[in-house]
Amino acid sequence: MPSLAEAAAMSSVPSIVEQHWYCPKCRYELSSAECPTHYLCFCGKETDPKFDPWLVPHSCGQTCGRALRPECGHSCVLLCHPGPCPPCPQVVKCSCYCGREAPVMRRCSAQYWSCGKPCGHPLTCGRHHCQQPCHKGLCSTCPRQSERPCLCGQETVIRPCADAVWQCSRVCGKVFSCGNHKCEKVCHDGMCGLCPRSLERTCPCGKTKATLPCTEDIPSCGDTCGKKLPCGTHRCMQLCHSGSCGLCRQMVTKTCRCGRKEKKIQCHQEYTCEIKCDKKRDCQRHHCKRKCCDGNCPVCEQPCGRTLNCRNHKCASRCHSGLCYPCIATVDVSCKCRATVLTVACGREKRTKPPRCKELCSNPPDCHHSTRQPHLCHFKECPPCTQMCSKPLQGCTHVCPSPCHTAVKSQAPVRPAGHAPWEKYTATAVSLVALPCPPCKVLISLECFGQHQIQQVECSRLRPFSCGCRCDRLLQCSNHKCQLECHVVTGALGIDKAGKECEECQQACEKPRPSGCRHWCPSLCHPGDCPICKERMRMACHCKSSTLFIECNVWTSAAEQARKELLSCQAQCPNLVQCGSFLRSSLNYWFLLQLSCGHRCSATCHPGPCPSEQTCEKKTPVRCPCRRRKKDFPCHEVQACAAVLHCDERCQAVKQQKEKEEAESKKQKEEETKRRQQQELEAFERKMAGKRRKRREPTTADVEKLPWWKQSTWLTIIASVLFVVVSLALYVYIV
């Protein structure tokens, strides 16, 4: 980067390429014409000061002498120095802002001070005095409210004292002195004045003056209006008229604001072209983009939006050139409990260590205790709790004497996202785990189940136990003793009697069975009589078609007639009706002889033979000799040939009709046979006589002969010749 001297030299030497110089402080770009050619000392008294090792660089060594800021009438007494001058160190005698306190000696830079007492100056409302502490500048408006009438005095409302004057929305409406017209002003103070129509008036164009009664209107003068139109160039060409003259309608040639285009339009219209300005605005970042811009581009209204040096906020100012102002925000850096706060500039909170706090840590405990062990405020994790657990143990009345273990750190492997189940991973996660309390170690005396022994057992293992001895209690059968190991006994009638938990006697019952029963007692050894036998016996019914299962005690206690009823299956007898004679086999089973009726026995399953066929009442159909009539008779009448059915007159008529139909059918068959034979005979004669030769009819080819180009033979020859010629031409072309 060139220095000021080099930049001045470059500006004096003509060059085709324009040189630029950048300010080392703000980096602003300057052209060769704008480049500075000399520099002054800090106080501006000496040009190009010489270097002196005993002075500040670029300082002339003289007294600064610049007027101090804010202006107090004194000047800086320091030697020529960089940067702004310090505050005025002079001592002056001055009073407070309100002037009620006696003057005191203070530094000139801090000569204005407040006594802190109420100001007391009268406010603008004229009713109250300022109650603020002694302050600088004018007093603020009166904050109190009071009833204030409007200017016309017709309405009264409560308003702030600072804004006491107000107008209502009513029209005055008072009658003028003329007695004809009323005041049309809205809420005003003072007199309404004279009637405006009774004064000297002019015609609408203002050229003719006249004084007429207020009840008469001034007529038009008839001359041209001649008033200047809103354009300021042309005049109204209408006759004298009332009201506004309207817009200027004359056609003029106008140039747009940017001066690039012209157009002939009405005078009152503004002409703007559609060309957008391509210049940059004052921010040197955004283009103007305004249509038909006159060169004075408006100020850029877009927000700057650049990130400030704090890296937390963005510039809220409108878009500008150069660097943004530093961030004025502040951030509070506090301790964990926020009792100690340190205020730093925005952006430095990440590099600033939190202040040390002398308060006790207020983090809630992670364990079950109500409070932590006292320690100072900190950011990291609290130390583990070392208090006694003191939780009631489960299953007993003692408390846990171990150190606190309800918030213990534990590491567990964690599978990262995207890892397959078979892939290895070493990531772990630390979590607080509540460990269970250790078992209670207090010794307590305990008796065994069968009350044989007493032992000292830990409280956590305090549960009924077996001593291992034999029970030896008398069982309910009164014959044997319990052989089980020492166990819980409940419901025992005595110390030697067996309880509900003792074993049952598993030996078989040896008591005698009732007469006729061939089964053993199903119960084990028991006191008292044996239960009735519930075993089922398999037996065949009387008709031998079903198998019945009968309890043993029912069969043995039943009489002879009851046993017959037990052996009946209650179904219809499957045997056919018997004729009264039986055949007896060697196995004592009855075999029945089948008669001509063939019906089953109608009785239910019964012992002994079935009833004879003379008692069979089964309905049997009987037909007349011609088999037209049908009637049902009992089976025993049919078997005795007592059921006979004769033909009636209708049967005779039906028989005669059938004979007549058969005769007619026979006659038709004979005629059909004769006709068929006659046809065969005629066919045979025609065959033997021989075939006649038919006359050949002339064809179309014989009548009219086709031309040669329509005959298929010539077409075939022509196609073959064309094929040969094309083949030869292709061969010659390829070769």
PDB file of all heavy atoms in Angstrom, residues 499-516:
ATOM      1  N   GLY A 499     -52.188 -82.073  59.667  1.00  0.00           N
ATOM      2  CA  GLY A 499     -52.879 -80.896  59.161  1.00  0.00           C
ATOM      3  C   GLY A 499     -53.219 -81.042  57.677  1.00  0.00           C
ATOM      4  O   GLY A 499     -53.107 -82.122  57.085  1.00  0.00           O
ATOM      5  N   LYS A 500     -53.595 -79.904  57.074  1.00  0.00           N
ATOM      6  CA  LYS A 500     -53.974 -79.925  55.664  1.00  0.00           C
ATOM      7  C   LYS A 500     -52.784 -80.194  54.758  1.00  0.00           C
ATOM      8  O   LYS A 500     -52.936 -80.767  53.681  1.00  0.00           O
ATOM      9  CB  LYS A 500     -54.608 -78.591  55.277  1.00  0.00           C
ATOM     10  CG  LYS A 500     -55.890 -78.291  56.011  1.00  0.00           C
ATOM     11  CD  LYS A 500     -56.443 -76.943  55.577  1.00  0.00           C
ATOM     12  CE  LYS A 500     -57.723 -76.603  56.330  1.00  0.00           C
ATOM     13  NZ  LYS A 500     -58.262 -75.278  55.931  1.00  0.00           N
ATOM     14  N   GLU A 501     -51.587 -79.789  55.196  1.00  0.00           N
ATOM     15  CA  GLU A 501     -50.407 -79.951  54.346  1.00  0.00           C
ATOM     16  C   GLU A 501     -49.768 -81.318  54.472  1.00  0.00           C
ATOM     17  O   GLU A 501     -48.856 -81.643  53.701  1.00  0.00           O
ATOM     18  CB  GLU A 501     -49.369 -78.875  54.675  1.00  0.00           C
ATOM     19  CG  GLU A 501     -49.769 -77.460  54.305  1.00  0.00           C
ATOM     20  CD  GLU A 501     -50.737 -76.872  55.306  1.00  0.00           C
ATOM     21  OE1 GLU A 501     -50.945 -77.511  56.352  1.00  0.00           O
ATOM     22  OE2 GLU A 501     -51.297 -75.785  55.039  1.00  0.00           O
ATOM     23  N   CYS A 502     -50.162 -82.109  55.445  1.00  0.00           N
ATOM     24  CA  CYS A 502     -49.585 -83.455  55.596  1.00  0.00           C
ATOM     25  C   CYS A 502     -50.035 -84.340  54.446  1.00  0.00           C
ATOM     26  O   CYS A 502     -51.086 -84.116  53.833  1.00  0.00           O
ATOM     27  CB  CYS A 502     -50.004 -84.065  56.929  1.00  0.00           C
ATOM     28  SG  CYS A 502     -49.260 -83.245  58.362  1.00  0.00           S
ATOM     29  N   GLU A 503     -49.236 -85.385  54.184  1.00  0.00           N
ATOM     30  CA  GLU A 503     -49.552 -86.276  53.081  1.00  0.00           C
ATOM     31  C   GLU A 503     -50.774 -87.129  53.408  1.00  0.00           C
ATOM     32  O   GLU A 503     -51.126 -87.335  54.570  1.00  0.00           O
ATOM     33  CB  GLU A 503     -48.360 -87.175  52.794  1.00  0.00           C
ATOM     34  CG  GLU A 503     -48.023 -88.147  53.915  1.00  0.00           C
ATOM     35  CD  GLU A 503     -46.894 -89.085  53.556  1.00  0.00           C
ATOM     36  OE1 GLU A 503     -46.517 -89.078  52.382  1.00  0.00           O
ATOM     37  OE2 GLU A 503     -46.428 -89.807  54.434  1.00  0.00           O
ATOM     38  N   GLU A 504     -51.445 -87.576  52.350  1.00  0.00           N
ATOM     39  CA  GLU A 504     -52.553 -88.499  52.503  1.00  0.00           C
ATOM     40  C   GLU A 504     -52.037 -89.921  52.409  1.00  0.00           C
ATOM     41  O   GLU A 504     -51.082 -90.188  51.698  1.00  0.00           O
ATOM     42  CB  GLU A 504     -53.593 -88.232  51.424  1.00  0.00           C
ATOM     43  CG  GLU A 504     -54.239 -86.865  51.523  1.00  0.00           C
ATOM     44  CD  GLU A 504     -55.278 -86.662  50.450  1.00  0.00           C
ATOM     45  OE1 GLU A 504     -55.453 -87.605  49.643  1.00  0.00           O
ATOM     46  OE2 GLU A 504     -55.896 -85.588  50.420  1.00  0.00           O
ATOM     47  N   CYS A 505     -52.741 -90.805  53.085  1.00  0.00           N
ATOM     48  CA  CYS A 505     -52.306 -92.210  53.090  1.00  0.00           C
ATOM     49  C   CYS A 505     -52.481 -92.782  51.689  1.00  0.00           C
ATOM     50  O   CYS A 505     -53.589 -92.757  51.122  1.00  0.00           O
ATOM     51  CB  CYS A 505     -53.121 -93.011  54.110  1.00  0.00           C
ATOM     52  SG  CYS A 505     -52.531 -94.714  54.313  1.00  0.00           S
ATOM     53  N   GLN A 506     -51.426 -93.304  51.083  1.00  0.00           N
ATOM     54  CA  GLN A 506     -51.417 -93.787  49.715  1.00  0.00           C
ATOM     55  C   GLN A 506     -51.577 -95.300  49.607  1.00  0.00           C
ATOM     56  O   GLN A 506     -51.515 -95.843  48.503  1.00  0.00           O
ATOM     57  CB  GLN A 506     -50.111 -93.364  49.027  1.00  0.00           C
ATOM     58  CG  GLN A 506     -49.891 -91.868  48.977  1.00  0.00           C
ATOM     59  CD  GLN A 506     -50.942 -91.167  48.158  1.00  0.00           C
ATOM     60  OE1 GLN A 506     -51.430 -91.709  47.165  1.00  0.00           O
ATOM     61  NE2 GLN A 506     -51.333 -89.968  48.600  1.00  0.00           N
ATOM     62  N   GLN A 507     -51.826 -96.005  50.729  1.00  0.00           N
ATOM     63  CA  GLN A 507     -51.999 -97.457  50.679  1.00  0.00           C
ATOM     64  C   GLN A 507     -53.415 -97.808  50.240  1.00  0.00           C
ATOM     65  O   GLN A 507     -54.356 -97.035  50.449  1.00  0.00           O
ATOM     66  CB  GLN A 507     -51.701 -98.071  52.046  1.00  0.00           C
ATOM     67  CG  GLN A 507     -50.264 -97.832  52.519  1.00  0.00           C
ATOM     68  CD  GLN A 507     -49.953 -98.556  53.804  1.00  0.00           C
ATOM     69  OE1 GLN A 507     -50.660 -99.511  54.158  1.00  0.00           O
ATOM     70  NE2 GLN A 507     -48.910 -98.131  54.487  1.00  0.00           N
ATOM     71  N   ALA A 508     -53.573 -98.944  49.599  1.00  0.00           N
ATOM     72  CA  ALA A 508     -54.869 -99.375  49.077  1.00  0.00           C
ATOM     73  C   ALA A 508     -55.794 -99.796  50.210  1.00  0.00           C
ATOM     74  O   ALA A 508     -55.370-100.278  51.264  1.00  0.00           O
ATOM     75  CB  ALA A 508     -54.685-100.528  48.095  1.00  0.00           C
ATOM     76  N   CYS A 509     -57.121 -99.613  49.934  1.00  0.00           N
ATOM     77  CA  CYS A 509     -58.133-100.012  50.925  1.00  0.00           C
ATOM     78  C   CYS A 509     -58.295-101.535  50.891  1.00  0.00           C
ATOM     79  O   CYS A 509     -58.390-102.136  49.820  1.00  0.00           O
ATOM     80  CB  CYS A 509     -59.452 -99.304  50.604  1.00  0.00           C
ATOM     81  SG  CYS A 509     -60.794 -99.730  51.714  1.00  0.00           S
ATOM     82  N   GLU A 510     -58.368-102.166  52.020  1.00  0.00           N
ATOM     83  CA  GLU A 510     -58.446-103.633  52.125  1.00  0.00           C
ATOM     84  C   GLU A 510     -59.764-104.091  52.726  1.00  0.00           C
ATOM     85  O   GLU A 510     -59.897-105.250  53.151  1.00  0.00           O
ATOM     86  CB  GLU A 510     -57.279-104.149  52.967  1.00  0.00           C
ATOM     87  CG  GLU A 510     -55.924-103.834  52.368  1.00  0.00           C
ATOM     88  CD  GLU A 510     -54.778-104.295  53.259  1.00  0.00           C
ATOM     89  OE1 GLU A 510     -55.080-104.779  54.366  1.00  0.00           O
ATOM     90  OE2 GLU A 510     -53.614-104.157  52.842  1.00  0.00           O
ATOM     91  N   LYS A 511     -60.781-103.221  52.777  1.00  0.00           N
ATOM     92  CA  LYS A 511     -62.068-103.585  53.364  1.00  0.00           C
ATOM     93  C   LYS A 511     -62.852-104.452  52.390  1.00  0.00           C
ATOM     94  O   LYS A 511     -62.710-104.322  51.180  1.00  0.00           O
ATOM     95  CB  LYS A 511     -62.849-102.320  53.706  1.00  0.00           C
ATOM     96  CG  LYS A 511     -62.193-101.503  54.809  1.00  0.00           C
ATOM     97  CD  LYS A 511     -63.024-100.284  55.171  1.00  0.00           C
ATOM     98  CE  LYS A 511     -62.349 -99.492  56.302  1.00  0.00           C
ATOM     99  NZ  LYS A 511     -63.148 -98.310  56.695  1.00  0.00           N
ATOM    100  N   PRO A 512     -63.769-105.417  52.897  1.00  0.00           N
ATOM    101  CA  PRO A 512     -64.546-106.313  52.018  1.00  0.00           C
ATOM    102  C   PRO A 512     -65.554-105.522  51.177  1.00  0.00           C
ATOM    103  O   PRO A 512     -66.088-104.512  51.613  1.00  0.00           O
ATOM    104  CB  PRO A 512     -65.235-107.259  52.989  1.00  0.00           C
ATOM    105  CG  PRO A 512     -65.295-106.527  54.283  1.00  0.00           C
ATOM    106  CD  PRO A 512     -64.065-105.685  54.339  1.00  0.00           C
ATOM    107  N   ARG A 513     -65.847-106.009  49.888  1.00  0.00           N
ATOM    108  CA  ARG A 513     -66.758-105.374  48.965  1.00  0.00           C
ATOM    109  C   ARG A 513     -68.172-105.932  49.133  1.00  0.00           C
ATOM    110  O   ARG A 513     -68.364-107.036  49.671  1.00  0.00           O
ATOM    111  CB  ARG A 513     -66.298-105.602  47.521  1.00  0.00           C
ATOM    112  CG  ARG A 513     -64.889-105.149  47.248  1.00  0.00           C
ATOM    113  CD  ARG A 513     -64.752-103.652  47.450  1.00  0.00           C
ATOM    114  NE  ARG A 513     -65.550-102.932  46.466  1.00  0.00           N
ATOM    115  CZ  ARG A 513     -65.923-101.682  46.576  1.00  0.00           C
ATOM    116  NH1 ARG A 513     -65.599-100.990  47.674  1.00  0.00           N
ATOM    117  NH2 ARG A 513     -66.635-101.105  45.634  1.00  0.00           N
ATOM    118  N   PRO A 514     -69.226-105.209  48.672  1.00  0.00           N
ATOM    119  CA  PRO A 514     -70.604-105.729  48.751  1.00  0.00           C
ATOM    120  C   PRO A 514     -70.769-106.965  47.870  1.00  0.00           C
ATOM    121  O   PRO A 514     -69.980-107.219  46.956  1.00  0.00           O
ATOM    122  CB  PRO A 514     -71.453-104.560  48.231  1.00  0.00           C
ATOM    123  CG  PRO A 514     -70.588-103.351  48.390  1.00  0.00           C
ATOM    124  CD  PRO A 514     -69.191-103.818  48.217  1.00  0.00           C
ATOM    125  N   SER A 515     -71.843-107.792  48.139  1.00  0.00           N
ATOM    126  CA  SER A 515     -72.088-109.034  47.406  1.00  0.00           C
ATOM    127  C   SER A 515     -72.413-108.705  45.952  1.00  0.00           C
ATOM    128  O   SER A 515     -73.192-107.796  45.653  1.00  0.00           O
ATOM    129  CB  SER A 515     -73.260-109.812  48.034  1.00  0.00           C
ATOM    130  OG  SER A 515     -74.432-109.033  48.015  1.00  0.00           O
ATOM    131  N   GLY A 516     -71.822-109.422  45.048  1.00  0.00           N
ATOM    132  CA  GLY A 516     -72.058-109.222  43.616  1.00  0.00           C
ATOM    133  C   GLY A 516     -71.070-108.266  42.965  1.00  0.00           C
ATOM    134  O   GLY A 516     -70.979-108.224  41.735  1.00  0.00           O
TER     135      GLY A 516
END
